[in-house]
Amino acid sequence: MTIRPAAPADTDAIWSILEPVLRAGETYALPREWNRRQALEYWFSDGHEVFVADDGGDVIGCYYLHANQRGGGAHVANCGYITSAASSGRGVATAMCEHSLQRAAEQGYRAMQFNLVISTNERAVNLWRRLGFDIVGTIPKAFEHPRLGFVDALVMHRML
């Protein structure tokens, strides 16, 4: 598996990864009804540097990296990661996060922060903790989960 910058030819594969996650509505605070154009416009927003995890020509994950805030907060990076369902449990998210930490440091960021990690997404919470992120805050009932109702969201942070 290699992690490389996303190319225009990757958009179909990226959409195939994003769509089921959006439709499930369990891990991202994004509209479940977004269509392909809306989702890809968000993923490739101005300021987002987008990468894919490529396994022999198959895109099996993707992430974006950008400044978490502007101005005085622009030294803190933020990312969003999604792995294809078929590649779950193969270390793709770990590899993408490790890549993003290195890339963020290369870009001059001093820290990385995840603003809204859904508390019920235990795999992500455990992974981010294993990679050195601390829970620095809990936002009570900040996310409306489609099956569980209102659940907490976590703010996670680590220095680079």
Side-chain angles (χ1 to χ4, degrees):
M1 174 180 51
T2 59
I3 298 175
R4 60 170 175 78
D10 296 322
T11 56
D12 287 342
I14 292 171
W15 171 240
S16 74
I17 294 168
L18 296 177
E19 184 180 22
V21 173
L22 289 177
R23 300 293 178 252
E26 296 179 350
T27 56
Y28 270 84
L30 298 173
R32 294 173 73 184
E33 69 278 359
W34 265 1
N35 62 34
R36 180 184 195 275
R37 179 189 55 77
Q38 291 168 311
L40 290 173
E41 282 178 358
Y42 171 77
W43 207 256
F44 286 91
S45 294
D46 285 342
H48 283 198
E49 188 176 19
V50 180
F51 293 88
V52 296
D54 184 318
D55 185 22
D58 293 327
V59 173
I60 58 173
C62 57
Y63 84 87
Y64 62 79
L65 168 70
H66 69 118
N68 192 47
Q69 301 293 328
R70 296 179 184 172
H75 62 284
V76 178
N78 175 264
C79 290
Y81 313 85
I82 299 182
T83 300
S84 71
S87 299
S88 181
R90 293 182 41 203
V92 178
T94 299
M96 289 191 299
C97 186
E98 289 172 341
H99 183 271
S100 71
L101 293 168
Q102 179 179 343
R103 181 70 180 158
E106 290 168 357
Q107 295 283 331
Y109 291 105
R110 299 184 53 147
M112 187 172 292
Q113 179 173 308
F114 303 147
N115 301 318
L116 203 77
V117 180
I118 310 310
S119 62
T120 55
N121 188 357
E122 293 177 5
R123 290 184 71 185
V125 173
N126 292 335
L127 173 59
W128 306 148
R129 290 190 77 149
R130 193 173 81 243
L131 292 174
F133 287 83
D134 293 315
I135 296 171
V136 296
T138 299
I139 309 167
K141 309 298 181 204
F143 183 77
E144 188 174 6
H145 192 284
R147 290 181 298 105
L148 304 174
F150 290 98
V151 299
D152 295 348
L154 308 173
V155 179
M156 300 186 77
H157 180 275
R158 76 162 268 186
M159 299 303 295
L160 298 177

